[in-house]
Amino acid sequence: MRLVFIGPPGIGKGTYAKAISQKYGIPHISTGDIFREEIARGTELGQRVKYYVERGLLVPDEIVVEVVKKVLQSPMCSKGFILDGFPRTLKQAEELDKITKIDLVFLFEAPLEVIVERVSGRLVCPKCGAIYHIKWRPPKTPGICDVCGTPLIRRKDDEPEVVRERYRIYKETFAPIIEYYRRKGLLVEIDSSRDANVVIADIERVLKEKGLTK
Ligand code: AMP
């Protein structure tokens, strides 16, 4: 089950990916998460991508493709994977086709205002990556991760004004990629203005319909 998830920042993609990843035992591979982690750990890769990530600029294709290729060819991806945040350029999409065959591409959509409301209340755990929402998915103890007890943070790029700008950039960046997969007949559009559990059930229904799960 080799999947690509596409959607604007804040749509809930991370939450859907985690649920599907757990249910079917395939890894959720977010290039953004990989880069943030490498930067936090101060690795060589982290140092190479820091400049771009901190400015919201695209990391050069050669670097991203090299990272993704390594991950996808590792044993952890033998049953499949969910790619999140990759591909982000046509070049990356073409390179991905050389690495492996993609089964399905989910495109998550919702009006911008729905996204802004979701995102401004979002909290994440800097240690284990768990995601919360002040209103809809509050942690048991305010501000503390249920899973590992680490104080939660609001990602800098979850600020409303940053979200609007990133939405604009998302639309621009992903238009050719969405077209690319639409033409290949791999694109499945999912209305994500609904509750996360409804969206997740919808993804599962599609996976079953397409014969990717039993
Ligand atoms: P994200 O969490 O997906 O928004 O990614 C955070 C940042 O990591 C982006 O703003 C880029 O700087 C970088 N990044 C993540 N994925 C890619 C990609 N596929 N191509 C280029 N840069 C990326």
Side-chain angles (χ1 to χ4, degrees):
M1 204 197 295
R2 288 154 299 197
L3 312 175
V4 171
F5 279 16
I6 298 177
I11 192 118
K13 210 168 13 110
T15 306
Y16 314 145
K18 278 207 172 67
I20 298 300
S21 161
Q22 276 166 16
K23 172 138 191 183
Y24 301 105
I26 53 172
H28 168 208
I29 297 152
S30 152
T31 41
D33 283 351
I34 293 176
F35 292 148
R36 276 185 290 275
E37 204 183 299
E38 297 282 333
I39 292 168
R41 284 169 48 211
T43 62
E44 196 200 321
L45 173 62
Q47 282 168 20
R48 279 167 78 199
V49 302
K50 191 170 188 228
Y51 174 89
Y52 305 97
V53 175
E54 282 183 345
R55 287 163 183 78
L57 301 171
L58 290 182
V59 171
D61 288 339
E62 318 82 79
I63 303 178
V64 193
V65 170
E66 185 190 311
V67 169
V68 170
K69 187 172 181 180
K70 204 166 142 195
V71 177
L72 296 191
Q73 290 176 344
S74 71
M76 103 192 203
C77 289
S78 59
K79 278 173 65 189
F81 52 79
I82 301 167
L83 272 175
D84 171 3
F86 181 97
R88 236 179 179 96
T89 64
L90 265 186
K91 175 78 183 159
Q92 290 178 12
E94 287 160 6
E95 290 299 318
L96 177 60
D97 282 342
K98 291 182 200 162
I99 300 170
T100 188
K101 180 183 148 289
I102 296 301
D103 294 311
L104 223 47
V105 177
F106 284 93
L107 173 63
F108 301 102
E109 294 182 301
L112 175 58
E113 285 321 301
V114 173
I115 297 168
V116 169
E117 201 198 339
R118 271 187 197 166
V119 164
S120 50
R122 181 159 76 175
L123 296 170
V124 299
C125 175
K127 194 170 170 203
C128 73
I131 303 167
Y132 301 87
H133 192 282
I134 292 171
K135 204 158 120 192
W136 297 299
R137 195 192 278 256
K140 289 190 193 99
T141 311
I144 301 294
C145 179
D146 291 349
V147 182
C148 69
T150 306
L152 300 172
I153 56 162
R154 183 199 240 183
R155 270 169 51 177
K156 205 163 138 196
D157 40 44
D158 283 349
E159 308 284 344
E161 59 282 13
V162 181
V163 175
R164 286 173 202 278
E165 178 59 8
R166 291 186 84 211
Y167 185 82
R168 197 187 59 72
I169 295 169
Y170 158 80
K171 283 277 181 189
E172 241 175 64
T173 312
F174 279 91
I177 315 241
I178 291 167
E179 220 18 66
Y180 180 84
Y181 286 123
R182 199 191 302 278
R183 254 185 270 131
K184 281 181 174 277
L186 293 177
L187 200 70
V188 178
E189 290 169 60
I190 304 276
D191 169 11
S192 306
S193 55
R194 301 167 299 170
D195 183 87
N197 290 326
V198 178
V199 174
I200 291 161
D202 215 13
I203 300 169
E204 290 173 5
R205 179 187 57 77
V206 172
L207 290 174
K208 200 170 166 190
E209 258 176 38
K210 300 276 180 184
L212 293 170
T213 60
K214 280 182 199 135

